[in-house]
Amino acid sequence: MSFVEYGDTIKDGDTAIVFLGHESMFPVKVQHGTVTQTKYGVIRHSMDLIGKKYGSKVTCSKGGWVFILHPTPELWTMNLPHRTQILYSTDISVITMMLELKPGSIVCESGTGSGSLSHALIRTVAPTGHLYTVEFHQQRAEKAREEFREHGVEHLVTVTNQDVCKNGFGVSNIADAVFLDIPSPWEAIGHAKSALKAEGGRICSFSPCIEQVQRTCLAMEEYGFTEINTLEILLRVYNVRTISLQIPDLGKTAEDNSSTGFDSSNPSNQGSPCTNLQQGTVQFKSGVPLREMVGHTGYLTFATKS
């Protein structure tokens, strides 16, 4: 199993996603002799998981059932253990596009955090690219290395435990893109410029406060970056449903009836379209935004090394 290569069958040691519903799923490490408790009963790894195909419908001990899904960066983002605040797919998709990443790209990232963005970056640059990710916190860096090894992507990523603002990324003039998610990104702009290739490299900084954005933009200008722009991505979900509304009875005057030759006493006119419309209802699709939505997450500032 790997987050960048699809495996057909579930194997011992794999990380799988137990899917109970769109709002209820969780990751599990598949191991011989282990059981997993769910609200539908017990899942026995040896009998119910190992050797089965990903996507299989598994019946639990209480008669309920779940689906076992192959992990992807998107599913991992929704289910990973949170060591820090994470980026979600709405921002991740824009970051990947605006940094112009593709298979073979070299990317530098700081900080690693919970690894949500890291998994998406690795999947994008595979199989010939590489991610250099820097994490200031030692325990988080060690945990990230462990997860990358378990997920079969350790050959595509290098995790370094150091302060990027003081020591940089540990590489020079090779990166196609740099991503910064740190409290003071303006202090790392110089190191980011050194890590980027000679010309044309892209940089992105994620900051929750506009004051951070202002200082970062000033630092980018100071170091000669061009095409500086800042985006805020908001996801607004609409609830599409079918509703029924009664057609209003606008009435019909006697003059209208006489002018059109309509005779309500005539049995042949009792089933006329006009009568049915006035007494009936109409159904149509309606899109209504949810009462609550995910608000501000952060500002994404992009620039190009000239």
Side-chain angles (χ1 to χ4, degrees), residues 242-257:
T242 301
I243 63 175
S244 298
L245 293 179
Q246 187 172 4
I247 298 176
D249 184 0
L250 303 178
K252 209 162 181 59
T253 65
E255 291 149 357
D256 289 337
N257 288 338

Side-chain angles (χ1 to χ4, degrees), residues 1-18 26-34 36 43 45-46 48-55 68-72 76 146-154:
M1 181 278 303
S2 171
F3 275 61
V4 297
E5 296 177 357
Y6 182 79
D8 189 46
T9 59
I10 305 170
K11 300 180 177 63
D12 185 26
D14 282 3
T15 298
I17 305 297
V18 179
F26 59 90
V28 62
K29 184 174 181 179
V30 180
Q31 292 178 312
H32 273 294
T34 303
T36 297
I43 301 174
H45 293 199
S46 299
D48 299 330
L49 299 183
I50 297 176
K52 301 288 182 65
K53 289 189 175 182
Y54 279 106
I68 308 299
L69 305 181
H70 193 284
T72 65
W76 185 246
E146 180 184 342
E147 285 181 349
F148 293 142
R149 184 169 57 254
E150 291 179 352
H151 297 166
V153 296
E154 71 276 8

